[in-house]
Amino acid sequence: MSTTQSAGADTLRHAPHRGLGLVLIAAAQFVVIMDTSIIGVALSDIARDVGFTSESLSWVFNAYVVAFGGLLLLGGRLSDLLGARGVFTIGWAVLLLGSLAAGAAGDAWVEIAARAVQGAGAALIAPAALSLLMALFGGTPQLPRAFAVYGAAAPIGGTAGVFLGGVLTEYIGWPWVFYITVPIAVVILALTPMAFPAGARSSGRVDLTGAFTGTAGLALTVYGIVRAPEAGWLSVEAIGALAAGLLLLGLFVARQTRAAQPLLRLGMLRLPNLAGANIAQLLLGAAWIPMWFFLNLYLQKSLGASAFAAGAALVPMTVLIVIGMTLVSPRLASTLTTRTMVVSGFALLGAGVAWLAFAPEDGVYVLHVLPASLVAASGMALAFVPSLSTAIASAPPDEAGVASGLVNTSYQIGSAVGLAVLTAVSAGASTSAADGYSAAFLGAAAIAAAGLLTALFTLRARRG
């Protein structure tokens, strides 16, 4: 870490408004996740008013995920080079503009493009927020609690999105599922200079070739994965996108071995715990997001709950995650090793999701859903924070932005891959919806088991 960068980090650690900074960082995670879930209830109204076909409607969701996942590494590198506060500010401005355009769109392609702009803004915000968190709290006793608050913001954002989507669509109109982000962005843009003193910039430059091949490769790979369940895994579109994406990712890796200032220094992946923690985050996303998605479907389609009631049914799970991440996990971190916490978390997550697989089609919420979902939520709360913090803390301070982008990419790519694969598993399991949900839950449990084994053999035992 250079002297200038050290001075910048010290400035942030002694900033007078660190509490406000943590609120803004948590708000960033909240909004980034909320923007993925808030549109679910509004999709039918958007399709009617904007002119989507049933085949293209999924891209209101997918455009955000593809842009977000594809640009995270670039966002992390820019955060290191330009300063995390500057990239954080730019990201919120881009997200604000995308939200305005998405709410005002009168054409399907404009809506898709606006959602991609929102995803690009989120890809700048997410790694910058984690870099700011490390700059504010790195090396202090408050760091575990800060990570816990950041981690808890994600499930709150997901559940709040379901609630807000239903309320806004029913009582105000679907454009407000996008416009709701605008006032939040305005407030955060106004408070950012107060919460985060200007950090130091690096004298490096962006590897444009690496940025293109890495971003395009990730975007095409994610596109192929999320498109395959609809178009067919053997379709020309899916195979072509996956082949092109993997080819570009291969070129990206080759470029990173030769570039003087690579977008991702591949030697980082040999750092103790960094690769293992990123794999753990990828598998957490691949197990948790499909579980949440199919549980929502089960509540609505099998148990007959409304969208709002289904959101209410997820509240106990969200509350337990918040308590677990903010109160329990930081206390356990002082006595248990990272490996023990992550392995135990995957075990509980897998057990809870496997339990859900045996819920009958005419099940009872308090018997077949609530206890299983709470077991799964306790596992997520136990595994998420230590694997996230380890993925960031294992990198050198001057590569915190890249490490943040990498771990965000791992989780988002895991989420997209897991959801696409388990959607295909669910669709092919049986003509019965209950059988399809059961197959998806068992698949998520198998992913959690893979995460347990990965954490057991790749993470070093350490406390804190």
Side-chain angles (χ1 to χ4, degrees), residues 98-106 111 114 174-176 178-179:
S99 300
L100 286 171
E111 187 69 76
W174 67 261
W176 279 93
F178 303 115
Y179 289 152

Side-chain angles (χ1 to χ4, degrees), residues 64-73 119 123 214-215 218-219 222 405 408-409 412-413:
Y64 182 91
V65 173
V66 169
F68 188 21
L71 292 169
L72 275 166
L73 275 180
T215 299
L218 281 172
V222 174
N408 270 288
T409 300
Q412 293 300 325
I413 296 300

Side-chain angles (χ1 to χ4, degrees), residues 5-403:
Q5 289 167 326
S6 297
D10 288 340
T11 298
L12 283 171
R13 286 194 191 99
H14 293 93
H17 302 294
R18 285 200 303 165
L20 174 62
L22 181 58
V23 169
L24 299 190
I25 290 166
Q29 177 74 335
F30 174 90
V31 171
V32 163
I33 301 302
M34 181 188 73
D35 278 349
T36 65
S37 64
I38 197 171
I39 65 169
V41 178
L43 284 176
S44 60
D45 287 3
I46 294 173
R48 181 194 65 226
D49 294 346
V50 180
F52 280 97
T53 64
S54 58
E55 292 78 17
S56 62
L57 183 60
S58 64
W59 281 99
V60 180
F61 174 81
N62 292 340
Y64 182 91
V65 173
V66 169
F68 188 21
L71 292 169
L72 275 166
L73 275 180
L74 178 60
R77 179 60 175 158
L78 290 174
S79 180
D80 286 335
L81 292 178
L82 304 180
R85 190 185 83 168
V87 173
F88 188 75
T89 302
I90 294 170
W92 277 107
V94 172
L95 182 61
L96 186 155
L97 293 175
S99 300
L100 286 171
D107 178 82
W109 288 107
V110 174
E111 187 69 76
I112 292 172
R115 285 290 283 167
V117 172
Q118 282 189 303
L124 296 176
I125 292 168
L130 275 173
S131 294
L132 288 169
L133 186 148
M134 286 299 296
L136 283 174
F137 297 97
T140 71
Q142 293 79 33
L143 181 61
R145 184 60 55 82
F147 266 118
V149 172
Y150 173 88
I156 297 174
T159 303
V162 175
F163 274 114
L164 290 173
V167 172
L168 293 173
T169 302
E170 183 171 352
Y171 295 107
I172 303 179
W174 67 261
W176 279 93
V177 303
F178 303 115
Y179 289 152
I180 189 64
T181 302
V182 174
I184 299 174
V186 169
V187 171
I188 290 178
L189 286 170
L191 294 177
T192 292
M194 180 191 306
F196 310 113
R201 295 188 177 195
S202 170
S203 59
R205 60 185 178 83
V206 175
D207 173 21
L208 294 178
T209 302
F212 172 76
T213 54
T215 299
L218 281 172
L220 282 170
T221 301
V222 174
Y223 173 88
I225 290 169
V226 300
R227 184 75 177 110
E230 183 180 331
W233 286 94
L234 298 180
S235 66
V236 173
E237 182 179 1
I239 291 177
L242 287 170
L246 293 174
L247 175 62
L248 285 169
L249 288 176
L251 294 174
F252 169 77
V253 171
R255 170 68 182 176
Q256 301 314 289
T257 62
R258 300 192 307 269
Q261 297 183 35
L263 190 67
L264 171 64
R265 185 174 62 83
L266 297 181
M268 285 179 61
L269 301 178
R270 294 193 295 270
L271 293 171
N273 282 331
L274 190 141
N278 272 277
I279 295 171
Q281 281 282 306
L282 184 146
L283 294 174
L284 275 175
W288 177 260
I289 295 301
M291 184 219 73
W292 186 89
F293 177 82
F294 284 102
L295 181 55
N296 209 341
L297 286 180
Y298 172 76
L299 290 168
Q300 294 187 54
K301 303 297 185 182
S302 294
L303 302 191
S306 66
F308 189 82
L314 299 176
V315 168
M317 188 166 60
T318 304
V319 171
L320 181 61
I321 289 178
V322 172
I323 293 173
M325 287 187 179
T326 58
L327 298 179
V328 179
S329 185
R331 292 173 183 265
L332 292 177
S334 63
T335 57
L336 300 178
T337 65
T338 295
R339 183 170 64 191
T340 298
M341 292 181 68
V342 176
V343 168
S344 301
F346 271 118
L348 288 169
L349 175 59
V353 179
W355 189 349
L356 286 171
F358 296 98
E361 190 167 6
D362 57 347
V364 178
Y365 170 74
V366 295
L367 295 178
H368 302 111
V369 175
L370 182 60
S373 66
L374 293 180
V375 171
S378 64
M380 184 63 171
L382 194 60
F384 185 86
V385 172
S387 58
L388 175 69
S389 60
T390 298
I392 306 297
S394 298
D398 59 343
E399 293 182 310
V402 172

